[in-house]
Amino acid sequence: MVDYHAANNQSSAGGVQTYMEQENDWDRDLLLDPAWEKQQRKTFTAWCNSHLRKAGTQIENIEEDFRDGLKLMLLLEVISGERLPKPERGKMRVHKINNVNKALDFIASKGVKLVSIGAEEIVDGNAKMTLGMIWTIILRFAIQDISVEETSAKEGLLLWCQRKTAPYKNVNVQNFHISWKDGLAFNALIHRHRPDLIDYDSLRKDDPVTNLNNAFEVAEKHLDIPKMLDAEDIVNTARPDEKAIMTYVSSFYHAFSGAQKAETAANRICKVLAVNQENEQMMEDYEKLASDLLEWIRRTIPWLENRTQEKTVNDMQAKQEDFRDYRCVHKPPKVQEKCQLEISFNTLQTKLRLSNRPAFMPSEGRLVSDINGAWHTLEGAEKGYEEWILSEIRRLERLEHLAEKFHQKAAIHESWTDGKEAMLTQKDYETSTLSEVKALLRKHEAFESDLAAHQDRVEQIAAIAQELNELDYYDSASVNARCQKICDQWDVLGALTQSRKESLERTEKQLESIDELYLEYAKRAAPFNNWMEGAMEDLQDMFIVHNIEEIQGLITAHEQFKSTLTEANKEREAIQSIQAEVQKIAQSNGIKLSGANPYTTITPESIDSKWEKAMAMVPLRDNALQDELNKQNSNDTLRATFATQANTVGAYIQEKMEEIGRISIEMNGTLEDQLTNLKEYQKSIMSYMPEINKLEGYHQLIQEALIFDNQYTSYTMEHLRVGWEQLLTTIARTINEVENQILTRDAKGISQEQLYEYRASFNHFDKDHSGALMAEEFKACLISLGYDVENDKQKRSGQMVSDDFRALLISTGNSLGDGEFARIMGIVDPNGTGAVTFQAFIDFMSTETTDTDTADQVIASFKILAADKNYITAEELRRELPPDQAEYCIARMAPYTGPDAVPGALDYMSFSTALYGESDL
């Protein structure tokens, strides 16, 4: 509905009064015509009720229901939209007269001169005066404001009817009485504005009752115009009442004139709401994607920070495989989501700027900077986790090697010490002969030599146990227990050895017999036997190497060991010759030997047996060292293969990073051409992905081979992954920048030539090709484009400015005003970085040269739909707007709380300002 009740301003009050006097100069005798009076009663009653029903009431008898003045005052408040003085509620005549006088005073305040109409006549129910008063109100509030080509209200309404019905046959509107009797004029008005409601060609001029009833019923049902007359009232009267017809026709005028305004207002609101709905959807999508990505990072970081140690190398390698699966399968999609998130955020901010909306501020903790910070933390955790896994694998390998070595040496030592305590505690020397005692003493001396030779092994066992403890070996308790047992036993053996020696020395003074040959045999056999045992330990010792140099060192040491075998064999033969000499002397002198050397338990057979075992181990050691050398050569080949591919990929990434930097500065052609070229360029970059995957395959082989260094390249897989991700992100950002320029151009109506000029000026002053202008460069760029901030607006010369002329402008001091330039810098550099990007520069230039919808325009549109009320109802929104946008408004509008509020009233003003932020209030 539209407002047709607004009062004229004070300057037109004289003309209004003159017009009213002319209209009120009616023929009082004609008013008594029963037919006319009946028509006026029906028409005026229906007109009054069409307004009173807005306040929830109506009248039945026009002269009776206005007598107390209450409904009369209510009618004036509804049609004027203003508040009248508080009515008196008494039942006495004086109260009624006072109420009517308040109504008449209000009418008079609107510039209307009431002729012969007093409050007493209305209170007394004078039909003539009551109808005259209502006609005066109709003239003032329904007809007065109608004007076509500066005509009076009546003439303007007549001219409007003539123009609207001119194309229709059998219609010739010349007045407001007999021209309407056949009903065709009413039907023509409806058909002109709503052809879907009337089948005009089916109407007949000779059937006025049908024509009139059709027009009245359609108007009441579809146009919200109450039925003010019956067809018979018009047809059966020679000259229908002019005032009744004018009142009826004015309702048609206001209904149709308001429809066009409502449609325009609805279209504007639909446009604004559509933009707002799209922006809100993008905000919701950003919030969800940001929340999901942050939640994934939050869940992943604790896993990467977990440093729970495993007991075996296999368990740690399983963790390494899980980490490799995370890197290759789970993380790449998240990299794409992060890039898409930045692109969506930039696109949304561009759309908000273009639609004059406030900038989007994500929820706390979901800014792009927050996501980048979380991502940086994630990558730091990744690096730390990978380094920890590799160090743990090395540690566990070292531990397993040491543990095996510990148990091997401990077993040898325990085997050697078995029975030694019993031997040292026996009292055999007490019943032995002198020669036997001397033999026992020498045997004990040989045992001491053997004991001293085993001291190194005990120290090695203790050192290995200590290293296992320092490396946090999982079975340190059993190792420590076994080591402690060996050390305690070693101390006991030392004490027992010393005690037995002292006992033998006390007996030695009485014993003289000694067999030098047995003693020499024992002394030489014991270290040789210990040397053979040590050699066998070394030949069976495990080894771990990481490069060719280390294995070559082991091979060299082994070759040196083999070079000593000749001298060792001579020593073995010499020891065996001592035993042979013993046998020879015994046979020569007829001495019966006991069959055992009294000074040692080492027999010639045991020496030969150990020698044969040691010689058999030498070729096995040769093969093991050669196999390891082949493995290290293979690893070196893997290093070289990876390095070749890594150097190629690294150079490619660096070249493309430099190339995309030049492309973003030197792009030519239309924005669409630039966008197409960039996407083709992106496809060419993505075609290089097989090379990256090939490098990943080499890297996996490197890790599986436990290769931890590479002297052939300075690139690591982590550096190349980061470089590749940066390259893809840079291309995506450049494409997004061009897309945003297209959005800016299309939304702001900027021509391609303007964009070329802006780009040329920006590139000219971007001397370092950084993609951003410093403050002085930006000021010079604005001056080169002819921007005159002294007049607070941009002025263009109409043609491109040459580079030399730009320099001339700067050199001659044609600079921007400090205050205005500070304002501009606040717009293009809100964060105060001192640099202006090209996108910010384009946004500023487009904003300075275009116009957009404002909150005031939207409020004015809603006011039209609300029939000039300060609130609007859900029914009105559903009637004037498309269903989805009507429900969108209803769901977001707050209840209206003003003094004129009614049930269901909605506040469209606060809703409109909220669409644009507080800056538009």
Side-chain angles (χ1 to χ4, degrees):
M1 296 183 65
V2 296
D3 179 14
Y4 49 86
H5 307 304
N8 278 1
N9 56 40
Q10 192 64 30
S11 62
S12 62
V16 172
Q17 180 173 343
T18 301
Y19 171 71
M20 288 299 177
E21 290 175 353
Q22 295 173 352
E23 292 295 335
N24 281 317
D25 189 17
W26 57 21
D27 188 337
R28 301 187 185 279
D29 294 333
L30 290 177
L31 184 62
L32 298 178
D33 187 326
W36 283 20
E37 182 177 348
K38 178 181 178 183
Q39 292 176 21
Q40 287 186 11
R41 281 178 181 274
K42 284 185 178 182
T43 304
F44 292 176
T45 299
W47 184 86
C48 291
N49 284 335
S50 70
H51 294 286
L52 286 173
R53 67 182 180 185
K54 300 175 184 177
T57 187
Q58 64 180 11
I59 61 172
E60 298 294 338
N61 190 308
I62 196 167
E63 63 266 26
E64 290 295 330
D65 292 346
F66 285 141
R67 289 181 62 185
D68 59 4
L70 295 178
K71 289 188 177 180
L72 179 60
M73 294 179 70
L74 181 60
L75 174 65
L76 291 173
E77 287 186 346
V78 171
I79 63 178
S80 68
E82 301 179 21
R83 300 288 295 179
L84 271 69
K86 185 176 180 181
E88 298 180 9
R89 295 295 179 178
K91 300 294 185 178
M92 299 177 63
R93 176 179 175 83
V94 65
H95 296 141
K96 298 179 180 180
I97 291 175
N98 289 339
N99 287 340
V100 174
N101 275 327
K102 289 177 181 179
L104 296 179
D105 290 342
F106 178 78
I107 296 172
S109 70
K110 299 302 178 182
V112 179
K113 182 178 180 182
L114 298 172
V115 181
S116 302
I117 300 177
E120 291 78 2
E121 286 87 346
I122 304 301
V123 173
D124 292 338
N126 188 313
K128 177 177 65 174
M129 293 303 172
T130 301
L131 292 175
M133 176 190 66
I134 297 302
W135 172 242
T136 301
I137 292 173
I138 293 172
L139 283 175
R140 173 60 184 86
F141 292 101
I143 300 178
Q144 173 186 321
D145 293 335
I146 300 174
S147 177
V148 179
E149 298 183 358
E150 300 182 356
T151 60
S152 67
K154 179 178 179 180
E155 293 171 347
L157 182 60
L158 184 62
L159 181 58
W160 177 79
C161 294
Q162 291 171 342
R163 289 182 175 178
K164 296 298 181 181
T165 61
Y168 294 87
K169 63 181 180 179
N170 299 325
V171 178
N172 183 18
V173 178
Q174 297 297 326
N175 49 54
F176 287 108
H177 36 81
I178 60 175
S179 295
W180 303 84
K181 284 189 67 174
D182 57 11
L184 292 177
F186 284 107
N187 283 278
L189 281 179
I190 296 173
H191 185 268
R192 180 64 181 270
H193 295 90
R194 293 290 302 275
D196 56 308
L197 301 179
I198 298 291
D199 182 7
Y200 187 83
D201 293 334
S202 65
L203 302 177
R204 303 200 323 271
K205 185 175 180 64
D206 59 355
D207 190 3
V209 174
T210 299
N211 296 342
L212 290 167
N213 283 331
N214 181 66
F216 295 163
E217 290 171 1
V218 168
E220 184 175 32
K221 181 178 180 181
H222 298 284
L223 303 179
D224 200 26
I225 299 174
K227 188 174 182 180
M228 300 182 182
L229 289 172
D230 292 327
E232 291 76 12
D233 295 337
I234 298 176
V235 174
N236 297 333
T237 305
R239 186 173 183 269
D241 181 61
E242 185 177 54
K243 297 176 179 58
I245 298 298
M246 284 183 65
T247 301
Y248 215 151
V249 172
S250 68
S251 297
F252 283 85
Y253 172 84
H254 290 299
F256 292 133
S257 64
Q260 184 174 359
K261 295 180 181 178
E263 181 180 357
T264 301
N267 289 338
R268 178 181 291 274
I269 292 172
C270 290
K271 175 185 174 184
V272 172
L273 294 179
V275 171
N276 212 61
Q277 288 172 312
E278 181 181 0
N279 292 341
E280 286 184 358
Q281 184 61 48
M282 290 187 69
M283 294 176 190
E284 291 176 3
D285 293 343
Y286 174 89
E287 289 284 348
K288 183 179 185 305
L289 186 57
S291 297
D292 293 345
L293 184 57
L294 288 171
E295 177 61 20
W296 177 81
I297 294 174
R298 185 191 65 77
R299 294 195 312 268
T300 304
I301 288 178
W303 176 68
L304 293 173
E305 292 177 344
N306 182 16
R307 295 296 185 268
T308 302
Q309 294 180 337
E310 300 294 340
K311 296 181 179 180
T312 66
V313 174
N314 289 336
D315 292 338
M316 283 307 300
Q317 287 176 338
K319 278 194 172 184
Q320 186 180 40
E321 189 62 31
D322 291 341
F323 180 73
R324 187 179 294 114
D325 185 67
Y326 155 80
R327 269 273 181 80
C328 299
V329 177
H330 300 290
K331 184 183 177 185
K334 300 302 177 182
V335 173
Q336 294 297 323
E337 289 180 13
K338 177 176 175 291
C339 179
Q340 183 59 42
L341 195 68
E342 293 182 6
I343 292 174
S344 299
F345 180 84
N346 293 335
T347 301
L348 175 59
Q349 297 293 43
T350 299
K351 288 187 175 183
L352 289 173
R353 285 195 300 270
L354 296 178
S355 59
N356 201 25
R357 301 300 196 276
F360 170 55
M361 180 59 65
S363 302
E364 183 177 358
R366 293 185 176 88
L367 293 170
V368 173
S369 60
D370 296 329
I371 295 171
N372 287 335
W375 191 264
H376 180 72
T377 303
L378 175 71
E379 291 182 333
E382 275 184 27
K383 183 178 179 182
Y385 189 69
E386 185 176 28
E387 292 173 352
W388 174 75
I389 287 177
L390 295 177
S391 67
E392 277 296 290
I393 291 175
R394 293 177 183 174
R395 183 182 70 84
L396 291 173
E397 286 179 341
R398 175 67 176 163
L399 283 174
E400 290 183 0
H401 170 69
L402 288 174
E404 185 174 353
K405 190 172 184 179
F406 171 85
H407 291 299
Q408 184 184 43
K409 287 184 176 293
I412 293 173
H413 176 78
E414 289 166 348
S415 175
W416 178 83
T417 60
D418 184 40
K420 294 296 188 293
E421 286 188 40
M423 181 194 73
L424 292 172
T425 56
Q426 63 184 342
K427 304 294 183 179
D428 55 340
Y429 55 85
E430 294 179 351
T431 58
S432 298
T433 64
L434 179 61
S435 60
E436 290 174 342
V437 170
K438 287 184 177 291
L440 289 175
L441 184 59
R442 285 171 173 75
K443 181 181 179 181
H444 188 71
E445 289 175 355
F447 172 77
E448 284 183 319
S449 297
D450 199 11
L451 186 68
H454 279 80
Q455 178 68 33
D456 289 339
R457 182 178 290 114
V458 173
E459 291 176 355
Q460 290 175 6
I461 290 172
I464 293 173
Q466 182 179 356
E467 187 171 0
L468 286 171
N469 279 283
E470 290 173 352
L471 293 177
D472 196 23
Y473 182 54
Y474 78 95
D475 199 21
S476 295
S478 64
V479 169
N480 292 336
R482 191 173 188 182
C483 180
Q484 187 62 43
K485 182 180 178 181
I486 290 172
C487 291
D488 293 342
Q489 186 186 39
W490 186 255
D491 293 339
V492 171
L493 288 176
L496 292 175
T497 300
Q498 183 64 26
S499 176
R500 182 172 176 81
K501 180 180 179 181
E502 291 172 355
S503 299
L504 288 173
E505 286 177 346
R506 285 194 303 268
T507 310
E508 184 183 20
K509 295 178 182 179
Q510 303 167 2
L511 302 176
E512 298 177 347
S513 182
I514 187 166
D515 191 346
E516 292 294 336
L517 289 175
Y518 273 142
L519 181 59
E520 182 180 0
Y521 176 90
K523 287 183 177 180
R524 295 182 69 174
F528 183 76
N529 183 69
N530 191 59
W531 175 87
M532 285 193 299
E533 289 179 351
M536 285 190 292
E537 284 183 33
D538 292 338
L539 289 171
Q540 296 178 80
D541 191 17
M542 294 179 61
F543 54 84
I544 296 177
V545 295
H546 299 96
N547 52 54
I548 294 177
E549 290 75 16
E550 290 179 0
I551 188 59
Q552 287 176 342
L554 291 177
I555 293 174
T556 300
H558 183 61
E559 293 298 326
Q560 292 175 353
F561 164 76
K562 290 195 295 183
S563 68
T564 65
L565 293 178
T566 301
E567 290 298 323
N569 190 43
K570 291 179 180 180
E571 176 66 10
R572 181 185 66 83
E573 292 173 351
I575 293 173
Q576 297 290 43
S577 68
I578 294 174
Q579 182 65 24
E581 185 66 19
V582 169
Q583 296 292 337
K584 180 179 179 181
I585 293 173
Q587 292 175 2
S588 299
N589 296 285
I591 299 174
K592 188 177 181 180
L593 299 175
S594 62
N597 191 326
Y599 303 110
T600 181
T601 60
I602 302 173
T603 65
E605 291 78 15
S606 67
I607 290 177
D608 288 339
S609 176
K610 289 181 180 179
W611 178 259
E612 290 172 1
K613 289 180 180 179
M615 293 304 98
M617 291 178 182
V618 171
L620 296 177
R621 186 71 169 183
D622 289 335
N623 294 336
L625 291 173
Q626 186 61 42
D627 290 341
E628 184 62 29
L629 178 62
N630 294 337
K631 176 183 175 183
Q632 290 303 322
N633 285 328
S634 175
N635 288 351
D636 204 58
T637 302
L638 276 178
R639 289 187 182 95
T641 302
F642 174 85
T644 301
Q645 183 69 6
N647 291 335
T648 301
V649 171
Y652 176 86
I653 292 175
Q654 183 175 0
E655 175 190 350
K656 295 304 177 181
M657 286 295 290
E658 295 173 356
E659 190 172 280
I660 191 61
R662 293 194 304 271
I663 290 175
S664 63
I665 295 174
E666 301 171 357
M667 289 189 296
N668 295 316
T670 65
L671 292 178
E672 286 76 11
D673 292 342
Q674 295 176 20
L675 183 61
T676 301
N677 293 337
L678 282 172
K679 289 184 177 179
E680 290 297 323
Y681 186 81
Q682 186 182 42
K683 289 181 181 178
S684 71
I685 294 296
M686 291 307 297
S687 66
Y688 196 74
M689 193 63 191
E691 297 299 320
I692 302 295
N693 293 334
K694 182 190 295 184
L695 186 62
E696 287 283 0
Y698 292 154
H699 180 63
Q700 182 173 349
L701 295 176
I702 287 284
Q703 289 191 324
E704 290 173 352
L706 299 178
I707 299 172
F708 304 108
D709 56 358
N710 194 334
Q711 69 273 26
Y712 299 112
T713 180
S714 60
Y715 290 107
T716 66
M717 195 65 229
E718 180 62 25
H719 293 157
L720 293 175
R721 289 191 189 107
V722 172
W724 179 252
E725 291 173 1
Q726 288 179 347
L727 176 61
L728 297 182
T729 301
T730 300
I731 295 172
R733 286 174 178 166
T734 304
I735 291 174
N736 180 245
E737 178 181 337
V738 175
E739 291 173 340
N740 286 340
Q741 290 180 31
I742 292 174
L743 284 174
T744 302
R745 181 198 65 191
D746 295 341
K748 299 297 187 177
I750 299 176
S751 67
Q752 190 70 43
E753 290 74 19
Q754 286 178 304
L755 283 175
Y756 283 156
E757 183 179 9
Y758 294 160
R759 170 57 78 178
S761 297
F762 187 94
N763 289 343
H764 173 78
F765 290 99
D766 185 16
K767 302 298 184 182
D768 57 355
H769 305 295
S770 63
L773 300 181
M774 296 296 102
E776 290 302 319
E777 293 174 337
F778 177 60
K779 181 187 288 187
C781 184
L782 288 180
I783 293 174
S784 72
L785 290 170
Y787 193 98
D788 182 9
V789 298
E790 299 300 329
N791 295 322
D792 197 23
K793 62 182 180 178
Q794 184 181 13
K795 295 182 179 180
R796 304 303 310 275
S797 62
Q799 53 182 311
M800 297 291 286
V801 182
S802 69
D803 293 344
D804 293 336
F805 184 61
R806 290 188 180 98
L808 178 62
L809 285 172
I810 298 171
S811 65
T812 55
N814 190 0
S815 60
L816 303 174
D818 292 340
E820 174 59 10
F821 184 70
R823 179 190 74 81
I824 295 173
M825 284 300 293
I827 295 173
V828 299
D829 183 26
N831 295 326
T833 63
V836 181
T837 64
F838 181 68
Q839 185 59 44
F841 172 70
I842 287 295
D843 290 343
F844 168 75
M845 297 304 293
S846 62
T847 302
E848 291 292 304
T849 56
T850 58
D851 191 14
T852 58
D853 292 326
T854 65
D856 290 340
Q857 292 174 328
V858 176
I859 290 173
S861 298
F862 272 117
K863 196 173 186 70
I864 291 174
L865 297 186
D868 206 38
K869 299 190 297 293
N870 293 327
Y871 59 84
I872 194 166
T873 65
E875 179 182 1
E876 290 171 329
L877 286 170
R878 291 190 177 103
R879 183 174 68 241
E880 302 295 348
L881 299 179
D884 60 329
Q885 295 184 341
E887 297 304 323
Y888 177 86
C889 292
I890 293 169
R892 286 162 174 75
M893 284 187 182
Y896 177 71
T897 58
D900 53 340
V902 298
L906 300 175
D907 187 354
Y908 60 79
M909 293 186 182
S910 61
F911 171 76
S912 300
T913 55
L915 289 177
Y916 290 86
E918 293 297 326
S919 61
D920 283 329
L921 288 175

